[in-house]
Amino acid sequence: MAETMKLEIFRYHPEKDNEPTFQTYEVPFLEDWVILDAINYIKDEIDGTLSYRWSCQMGVCGSCGMMINGVPKLSCAVFLKDYYPDKIRVEPLTGFPVERDLIFQMDDFMTKLTEIQPYIIRNKDEEKPLDEGEYLQTPAELARFKPYSMCINCMLCYAACPVYALDSTFIGPAAIALGQRYNMDSRDHGRDARQELIASHEGIWECTFVGECSAVCPKDVDPAAAIQRAKVSSTIDWFKDVLIPWGKKK
Amino acid sequence: MGKKEMSTYHRPFPNTWWLKRKPYVLFMIRELTSVFVAGYCIFLLVFVYKLTQGADVYGNFIDALKSPSSVALHFIALAFVLYHTITWFNLTPKILVLYKGEERIPQGLVAGMFYAGWVVVSVIVALFVLGM
Amino acid sequence: MAKSNEPIWWSLFSAGGMVAAMILPVLIIITGILVPFGLVDDDPLNFERIYTALSQSYLIKLILFIVITLPLFHWAHRFRFTLVDVGLKSVSTLISILCYGGAIAGTIIAAIIFLRI
């Protein structure tokens, strides 16, 4: 008989269960299978009631994030062979309320993402008409924010963040990194508008630089660094305000 | 009937979360280095205080540095403070992001500059305190 | 949202962390290894020498004062958040008062001691 592997999966049915349980499934072990392949096999062949999110299967859509043995990962990007022959424990991303099985509620993140205004904001009087063409940018200007623009909103960084898990009022890694992505864009004028939220206590100041958000990021966005750099620039703002209170306040 | 509110399950997040994974344990050790940093600064403050109490009091204090407990405490403090120094310099390049044109100056190089500065400062302090 | 006063504590934390990282290891090696094990000649920490150095130079006094006090604020800020991170957020105001209060008290005591030299 071919080799098999065991997956221990978090199950929670909102209409039947008060408490989650773990259910163990035995799946074929294939060298080229990722964990998502094994979960798809369970759904198709063993238990159609298992619920989870997935889409692209190639690490760009950011929807298949799960806790794999306690570590947030994209389940389409981790191979079974890296765990074989041990049992793999699969849970929904930490820090979010669970809706059903591996599906967690992402409303909080979506709200925060909107609040951070992750888009280019121009000063009203500096908006040029469409027929004047694009706002040009040098490669050097692009390089300043490009790494932060790689975020796929997979929320692994939130699941890695103990500060967010302890208190979900914290804005969290991805949203702040995306705020910084636009703050550092030479075409953007929206920093002051974002700063109200970023420089608040719930913004950057709750972060204790655990650094795991950056360690688990599948796109090397380095949100931890983005947050620390926002602390530096917000501190400079603060001292400017205190030392030259009559200066540049609009 | 109106729309039924979906019941979600909120998993508990234990206060012992930092014991669960190695990176979290290392983080907690990094944070606790601050206790030894402050402890040694208080020791330095006592050192200066003893200095104000005259040569005899100060002399006894310096003699007590030779005691096994003082040496042991110094070794423990040194281990934690060195861990602070290393983690501090390794994280600094994440915050101090420097560019040369389009290219980011490698983090290792920025950290290396801090390590080099640390060696220079340490040698200067040692030469000064030891009066060589 | 209220404007945060965290920048003042964070900048003290950072400055103190840098001072501690740069200067404390060598000092610990001196007072914990070199002097007690007699690895340096002529008892460099003898009373006359240290007292003269400190009492005759405002610059040396100021440097030592900074080396002692800034890392206290580094501790205060870091330890405050360590306690919050292990689940004591409900008493975070009390923690802040004790931590920063401790560092401020240490600084005042240091100032009093240094003025006596």
Side-chain angles (χ1 to χ4, degrees):
Chain A
M1 141 131 197
E3 290 166 300
T4 61
M5 234 183 140
K6 282 189 175 131
L7 264 67
E8 190 179 49
I9 301 186
F10 182 102
R11 301 299 310 266
Y12 172 75
H13 192 298
E15 281 147 22
K16 293 182 192 152
D17 303 333
N18 290 319
E19 289 285 320
T21 53
F22 279 91
Q23 193 166 348
T24 304
Y25 300 97
E26 194 160 358
V27 297
F29 169 69
L30 282 110
E31 277 278 319
D32 57 354
W33 264 16
V34 289
I35 290 181
L36 183 59
D37 290 320
I39 293 172
N40 281 338
Y41 175 87
I42 295 169
K43 175 94 176 168
D44 293 343
E45 307 289 336
I46 306 175
D47 183 351
T49 67
L50 181 64
S51 304
Y52 55 101
R53 289 193 183 102
W54 68 288
S55 177
C56 78
Q57 259 188 318
M58 49 195 265
V60 293
C61 76
S63 50
C64 71
M66 298 169 190
M67 303 301 284
I68 309 294
N69 286 350
V71 185
K73 287 179 188 291
L74 295 180
S75 57
C76 70
V78 267
F79 284 93
L80 288 181
K81 66 177 179 204
D82 295 334
Y83 297 86
Y84 184 80
D86 299 327
K87 198 194 276 184
I88 304 172
R89 194 176 171 96
V90 183
E91 294 162 87
L93 290 183
T94 300
F96 298 100
V98 180
E99 285 182 352
R100 176 172 168 155
D101 299 341
L102 298 171
I103 297 177
F104 57 90
Q105 199 171 53
M106 52 175 88
D107 305 29
D108 184 53
F109 172 68
M110 290 304 169
T111 309
K112 283 167 176 165
L113 197 56
T114 319
E115 285 172 349
I116 212 84
Q117 306 181 71
Y119 37 81
I120 287 178
I121 299 171
R122 296 285 295 184
N123 287 340
K124 285 251 158 46
D125 47 350
E126 290 177 65
E127 196 82 71
K128 51 180 194 183
L130 275 182
D131 55 10
E132 281 180 35
E134 309 88 338
Y135 297 105
L136 296 178
Q137 196 165 47
T138 65
E141 285 168 332
L142 172 67
R144 297 295 184 276
F145 67 81
K146 185 145 189 242
Y148 298 144
S149 73
M150 305 310 281
C151 176
I152 56 172
N153 302 343
C154 67
M155 288 164 274
L156 297 194
C157 54
Y158 282 78
C161 178
V163 177
Y164 180 72
L166 286 164
D167 180 358
S168 62
T169 57
F170 175 45
I171 313 271
I176 298 173
L178 279 164
Q180 284 293 88
R181 176 249 172 276
Y182 288 93
N183 284 344
M184 291 179 172
D185 191 318
S186 57
R187 301 163 294 183
D188 180 81
H189 301 138
R191 184 169 178 271
D192 285 347
R194 289 180 204 107
Q195 202 58 6
E196 176 141 0
L197 187 58
I198 288 183
S200 71
H201 191 75
E202 295 72 19
I204 47 181
W205 299 111
E206 300 227 319
C207 168
T208 49
F209 205 172
V210 178
E212 273 302 284
C213 51
S214 297
V216 303
C217 177
K219 297 289 163 189
D220 294 325
V221 170
D222 204 351
I227 298 174
Q228 309 321 307
R229 294 176 71 193
K231 286 182 187 173
V232 175
S233 54
S234 302
T235 300
I236 294 170
D237 286 355
W238 191 89
F239 278 102
K240 273 188 189 158
D241 262 19
V242 171
L243 299 177
I244 28 175
W246 59 87
K248 63 138 207 163
K249 266 282 123 174
K250 281 160 245 155
Chain B
M1 277 226 316
K3 192 177 154 198
K4 204 175 161 208
E5 189 67 35
M6 171 117 61
S7 71
T8 53
Y9 181 73
H10 293 254
R11 289 164 288 173
F13 192 73
N15 291 335
T16 52
W17 60 268
W18 50 278
L19 289 169
K20 298 270 150 77
R21 280 180 60 211
K22 194 179 160 205
Y24 295 141
V25 174
L26 292 178
F27 159 76
M28 201 45 94
I29 294 171
R30 186 192 87 191
E31 297 303 280
L32 288 176
T33 59
S34 66
V35 174
F36 294 88
V37 164
Y40 189 71
C41 287
I42 290 167
F43 162 83
L44 286 178
L45 191 54
V46 173
F47 174 94
V48 180
Y49 171 73
K50 296 286 181 185
L51 205 58
T52 65
Q53 300 299 298
D56 289 345
V57 174
Y58 176 79
N60 291 337
F61 179 71
I62 294 298
D63 283 342
L65 288 181
K66 296 193 176 75
S67 73
S69 55
S70 166
V71 171
L73 278 173
H74 271 85
F75 269 100
I76 296 168
L78 181 61
F80 277 93
V81 172
L82 280 177
Y83 192 70
H84 164 71
T85 300
I86 292 164
T87 51
W88 193 263
F89 291 155
N90 289 350
L91 292 176
T92 304
K94 283 184 170 277
I95 304 169
L96 191 66
V97 177
L98 305 172
Y99 285 90
K100 193 171 175 242
E102 294 166 40
E103 296 295 323
R104 181 164 171 188
I105 295 175
Q107 300 197 29
L109 190 64
V110 179
M113 286 174 355
F114 277 93
Y115 280 105
W118 178 42
V119 171
V120 172
V121 168
S122 298
V123 169
I124 292 171
V125 171
L127 290 179
F128 183 78
V129 175
L130 299 174
M132 284 189 274
Chain C
M1 226 163 273
K3 196 163 171 64
S4 179
N5 281 324
E6 294 290 341
I8 185 78
W9 302 121
W10 188 76
S11 39
L12 286 167
F13 157 80
S14 304
M18 192 54 87
V19 167
M22 285 278 177
I23 295 176
L24 293 193
V26 64
L27 290 180
I28 299 178
I29 289 171
I30 291 170
T31 63
I33 299 172
L34 297 183
V35 169
F37 289 100
L39 299 174
V40 278
D41 308 330
D42 303 339
D43 186 15
L45 296 183
N46 78 71
F47 180 78
E48 283 303 318
R49 190 173 164 265
I50 300 292
Y51 193 83
T52 317
L54 275 178
S55 58
Q56 293 190 344
S57 165
Y58 280 108
L59 182 65
I60 295 175
K61 245 206 265 197
L62 181 69
I63 291 173
L64 186 59
F65 180 77
I66 289 171
V67 167
I68 290 176
T69 53
L70 268 187
L72 291 180
F73 287 93
H74 169 78
W75 163 81
H77 188 73
R78 202 165 231 191
F79 196 62
R80 165 194 162 198
F81 278 108
T82 308
L83 295 178
V84 170
D85 280 347
V86 296
L88 296 176
K89 187 155 186 141
S90 54
V91 285
S92 63
T93 310
L94 179 68
I95 288 170
S96 299
I97 291 168
L98 291 178
C99 287
Y100 298 128
I104 292 167
T107 305
I108 293 169
I109 294 168
I112 294 169
I113 293 173
F114 271 76
L115 287 173
R116 286 206 200 148
I117 301 174

